[in-house]
Each structure stands twice: as structure tokens, then as C-alpha cells.
Amino acid sequence: MRKTIILLSCFFSFFGFSQNKEILYNFTPQPQSLLTNPGADVKYKWFFGVPLLSGISANVGSTGFDAYSLFADNGVDFTTKVKNAVAATNSHDYVTANQQLEVFTAGFRVGGEESKSYVSFGMYQELDSFIYVPTDPAILALYGNKDYIGKSFDLGDLSVKAELLSVFHAGFNKQINEKLILGVRGKIYSSIYNAKSTHNSGYFVTVQDDKLIYNQSIYSNLELNTSGLSKYLDENYEGDAGSDIRYDISKRAFFGGNLGLGLDLGVTYYPKRNIQLTASLVDIGYISHSKDVETYTLKGQYNYKGVITDFNSAGTVGDAYQDFKEAIPLDTLYNKYKTQRPLKFYSSFQYSFEEDRQEECSCTVDEDAWYRSAVGAQLFLMTTPREPLAALTGYYRRRILKGLQMKATYTVDSYSAKNIGLGLTAKIGVVNFYVLADNLLEYKDISKANALTFQIGFNIISGGSSK
């Protein structure tokens, strides 16, 4: 039963994760901006993050429904709420989020005071998943097929990716000339847990012939790859899950999990001193899963003819799974597999104005001309198991005071057309604190928000970035 519940959770879960960091991107007063563009224009002499506090971020989002529609205390039973949510979505809807915790990070200029080369490195933990709403399988699980004679249920609607991993990284950033900055970051991934089921296909259909005989056909090509989860999927597992998870994380986070390699690339270019173009590719990489792997398959064909059809007659998810399991056998394999990291693309255009020369500044070339304000636009793309996600952001940046800067954003994406965000960063002496949040209009009732993002952190920084 345990394995059944976990498999159903992976196949029918409605919770997941996304990764657009539109406020942090190109917000160069923050060292963490180097994680979104290793070629960002940063001017720190050195920095280090407060361990475990330098970068704490999470974002969640959904299309088609929100948390209020499922959990509102309005007298409607939960099963009815789920049915309403399924009716309001289609197979192109999804729920997304991403959580990161920076364990440590640091960076410094190499080659002396006048050097234009920069090294940064660190480690962070990441929880990442992406789940499409499995509309047809959900309808079949909730209602059965009695009232859907002639409908072909698409089993390919099942698509889910979820992973807990740690990432070790080191980056190099160099100003080639007064107009061009290039950056690269190498990564080693250590996967702690992984579940992936993204290339599914099949159908379930019931038709009635002219003799009132039902013809029921199932073709299933479903596969769920897992790593690091075998003991939890064991029907006889009786351990302490909390203790076991803590042990797994401590053992696998530091190169003890399934390993992979990744690469980030970034560029900043100034056609004019106050016009800036940037672009980056983040997480060009993969993970090879060979330790503690199990693959569950539901593959085969089933045909039935009869005068009655009673698939999922009880109208429950458990009954649907049992009927399906009796028709198509569940097999367990132990094959290696690879996963690709979700590839992110960022780009931006920025126009700076309100030039403010700082005579006392002892900065490098062109940094003695600060601009108090800037406006710009950003484009974000991310690969998914199906079509890529896209977001367009307009923003305004302002140096309010020495040591205090802000960035206000307006983002249009698949979650919302009214996403307003705000980022603030303050530096007092060498101590830096920042907070970023978006969808501010939804904070009056976050249960009705389709997406929310926040990030906070503390750093120690010598020098600073004014671009």
C-alpha cells in the first residue's frame, strides 16, 4: 500500500516548483546576481555570505487554480473542490515552485587592485520539481468511465519531475574591455532524491457497439524513474522517515549522491556607457543516476468486452489504481538513467540616466560616473518536459541613498498579467542585507495568488557595484 500511495502521489500530485528570478537578475549590488548571470557587471573587491543566511529563496505558482479553491473554509467538501479544480484546468496547466538555501558563498578579485578578473564559488541546496496537471487521468480516477463512454483518456497527461540536490559551483568573471564582460560557472550536482516521469503515452477508451456490448481498451506506456527513494517505497519499510531523511541529506549532499556536471554562461555588453545588454544560460547540465535506482513501469495492452463496464465503480483514486494495476502489471526495473537540469535563459536591456559623478570615488574606469536611475526589460525562458515557460519583465532601478538601492518590476507570464515585484538592498559599512518579493498585490490574500516569490539574505561586502 505504501508504494501505491507514493506512486499515486508522484503521478497525481498537484504541487511543484518554478525558477524565474526576475528581481535578482542583473540586480548587481547583490553578489547572488552572479548565480543568474556569471557575466554580470560586479565591482566588489571581495564578499562572503553569512553561512546558511546569505540566500534563502522560494517561489510557488500555479495556472488554472489557486490554493483558495482547494483549501478555503467554505463548507464545500475537499473531493468536490478537487473535482472543481480539475474541471477548471487542462493538460497544459501546471503548478511550479523552486526553493534554494545557500550554504556558503564567497568571491574575490584576483590579480591585484586593478585587476578586472573575479572568482566566486559556493554551495547551495535546491528543491526543484515541475508537474503538469494530469487532467484525463484525474477525471478517470475521480469519476470512472461510466459517464465517459467514447472518450479516449490520454495517459500522456502524466508528467512530473522532482528532485532534491546540492550544487557546488565556481565561477570566473572577466572584463575584456570597457564594453564587454564575460563569465562562466562550473557546477557539480549531487542528487539526494529524484523522481521523473515525463515521456509517458497511452490511452484508455470505452465504446459501445450496436449490440450494446462494451469494448474497453487500454494501451499503457508509463514509466517512473526514481533514485534515492527505494527504502521509502518498500512495502515493509517501518523506519523513522524524519531521521532517515536527515541521514540521507547529510550523507549525499557532499558528493555522496548521484553526480552530474553543469555549466552557466553569461555576458554583459555596453554599446554606450549608459546602455547595457545582458544574456545568460543557466544550468546547461545533467545528472547520471546509478545509485539506489528503481524504475516502475506500467506497460502493456488490455482489451475487454462485456455487457457492463465498471472501471473505478467506487469512484476513488485507490480503486482506479487497483483496477488499472489488475489490467496492466506493475514491473520494477533497476536501470541507470540520466536527467537534464531545467535550462534557463535570461536576457535584458537597460537604459541608465540621471548621471551622478562621485568625485570622492576611487573606483575603476567608468565607475566614477554613477547613474541614479535605470529602466529596462528582461526576457526569461525555461525548458520543461513540454513547451518552454516564458516571462517578460519591465523594471525600474533607483539608487535611493548611498548604500540603499531598489528595483521595481512588472512581469507578465503564464501565472499572472499583474505581477508587481520589489527588491531592496542595503549596505551599512561592509554589512549587506537584501529582500526581494513579487506579486505584491496578492499579499492581501495569498491563498488566492497564482504565484509568489521571496528571497532574503545577509552578506559581507567590500566595495560595491553601481551599474
Side-chain angles (χ1 to χ4, degrees):
M1 183 65 183
R2 181 190 307 276
K3 185 179 294 186
T4 299
I5 293 172
I6 294 178
L7 288 175
L8 285 172
S9 297
C10 291
F11 278 139
F12 294 102
S13 173
F14 275 50
F15 296 91
F17 294 78
S18 161
Q19 300 179 19
N20 183 15
K21 296 187 175 182
E22 70 272 18
I23 306 175
L24 181 63
Y25 182 75
N26 206 34
F27 197 23
T28 50
Q30 285 313 125
Q32 284 70 25
S33 65
L34 286 165
L35 291 176
T36 60
N37 181 5
D41 184 7
V42 296
K43 304 297 183 185
Y44 326 114
K45 295 177 181 177
W46 53 262
F47 79 89
F48 66 87
V50 178
L52 300 177
L53 294 176
S54 59
I56 303 170
S57 70
N59 62 46
V60 295
S62 65
T63 63
F65 66 98
D66 52 38
Y68 181 84
S69 63
L70 290 177
F71 303 109
D73 185 12
N74 54 8
V76 180
D77 68 271
F78 186 72
T79 299
T80 300
K81 292 176 182 177
V82 172
K83 290 180 178 180
N84 292 337
V86 171
T89 61
N90 59 54
S91 60
H92 295 287
D93 287 309
Y94 46 82
V95 185
T96 63
N98 176 265
Q99 172 270 326
Q100 287 186 0
L101 173 65
E102 207 163 45
V103 180
F104 67 88
T105 185
F108 53 90
R109 189 179 297 165
V110 292
E113 286 292 325
E114 300 303 319
S115 172
K116 298 180 181 179
S117 299
Y118 203 81
V119 170
S120 60
F121 57 91
M123 171 193 175
Y124 61 88
Q125 165 271 321
E126 183 171 1
L127 175 64
D128 180 36
S129 73
F130 193 99
I131 300 176
Y132 279 99
V133 177
T135 306
D136 275 9
I139 293 172
L140 187 61
L142 290 169
Y143 299 101
N145 66 336
K146 182 178 180 181
D147 297 325
Y148 293 90
I149 304 303
K151 174 178 173 57
S152 179
F153 293 91
D154 186 359
L155 303 184
D157 284 356
L158 294 166
S159 182
V160 54
K161 294 174 65 176
E163 187 158 39
L164 177 65
L165 72 161
S166 60
V167 182
F168 298 84
H169 61 89
F172 181 73
N173 173 297
K174 183 174 179 59
Q175 183 173 341
I176 305 301
N177 53 47
E178 293 182 1
K179 292 187 174 183
L180 180 64
I181 302 168
L182 299 177
V184 62
R185 182 172 305 279
K187 294 180 174 179
I188 299 177
Y189 307 112
S190 184
S191 175
I192 300 168
Y193 302 116
N194 176 265
K196 177 180 76 77
S197 182
T198 57
H199 295 95
N200 297 308
S201 61
Y203 59 84
F204 180 106
V205 62
T206 303
V207 297
Q208 190 176 39
D209 62 22
D210 54 5
K211 296 180 180 179
L212 303 182
I213 300 297
Y214 290 104
N215 294 290
Q216 186 169 283
S217 298
I218 301 175
Y219 168 70
S220 174
N221 183 32
L222 304 181
E223 182 174 287
L224 172 65
N225 302 116
T226 71
S227 69
L229 295 168
S230 62
K231 64 183 173 187
Y232 305 103
L233 296 171
D234 190 334
E235 297 282 357
N236 300 315
Y237 173 72
E238 297 181 354
D240 184 335
S243 297
D244 287 345
I245 290 172
R246 287 192 295 271
Y247 174 77
D248 288 344
I249 292 175
S250 64
K251 178 182 178 182
R252 300 171 185 171
F254 294 90
F255 305 108
N258 291 289
L259 301 180
L261 297 174
L263 187 69
D264 299 348
L265 301 173
V267 59
T268 297
Y269 179 69
Y270 289 94
K272 295 183 179 180
R273 190 170 62 182
N274 67 327
I275 296 178
Q276 180 198 69
L277 303 174
T278 75
S280 68
L281 286 170
V282 178
D283 279 328
I284 309 168
Y286 72 95
I287 297 174
S288 179
H289 299 269
S290 59
K291 302 175 183 178
D292 194 21
V293 295
E294 288 188 342
T295 297
Y296 303 95
T297 65
L298 289 165
K299 296 186 178 183
Q301 288 183 291
Y302 172 82
N303 293 287
Y304 166 82
K305 287 188 177 183
V307 295
I308 60 173
T309 177
D310 58 356
F311 187 90
N312 190 19
S313 57
T316 66
V317 173
D319 185 66
Y321 178 78
Q322 188 60 39
D323 285 356
F324 193 90
K325 185 177 176 181
E326 291 175 359
I328 307 293
L330 174 67
D331 289 330
T332 304
L333 307 174
Y334 303 93
N335 299 329
K336 301 177 183 179
Y337 66 97
K338 288 186 178 181
T339 55
Q340 299 292 323
R341 296 292 296 147
L343 176 63
K344 279 82 69 179
F345 170 76
Y346 289 93
S347 65
S348 71
F349 168 86
Q350 178 174 290
Y351 172 77
S352 301
F353 55 99
E354 289 190 272
E355 186 173 356
D356 181 17
R357 291 186 176 273
Q358 303 293 312
E359 294 179 358
E360 74 279 9
C361 183
S362 59
C363 308
T364 56
V365 177
D366 275 349
E367 207 176 1
D368 59 335
W370 285 12
Y371 293 93
R372 286 188 175 273
S373 301
V375 293
Q378 297 172 186
L379 174 66
F380 171 77
L381 300 171
M382 186 180 81
T383 60
T384 77
R386 297 178 186 168
E387 63 273 2
L389 300 186
L392 184 63
T393 298
Y395 67 88
Y396 171 68
R397 281 181 58 177
R398 175 77 176 178
R399 183 167 60 84
I400 302 171
L401 299 169
K402 184 178 181 180
L404 179 62
Q405 297 193 44
M406 59 83 73
K407 180 179 178 181
T409 62
Y410 184 93
T411 300
V412 176
D413 55 24
S414 54
Y415 306 113
S416 174
K418 54 179 182 179
N419 178 356
I420 295 175
L422 180 64
L424 291 172
T425 177
K427 183 169 176 282
I428 304 174
V430 296
V431 179
N432 162 250
F433 169 74
Y434 69 99
V435 58
L436 319 173
D438 71 359
N439 259 295
L440 299 179
L441 297 179
E442 303 296 339
Y443 275 77
K444 58 187 177 182
D445 187 352
I446 61 174
S447 67
K448 295 182 180 180
N450 285 101
L452 291 172
T453 300
F454 78 89
Q455 181 166 348
I456 59 173
F458 295 87
N459 299 287
I460 306 300
I461 301 174
S462 176
S465 180
S466 62
K467 297 293 184 182

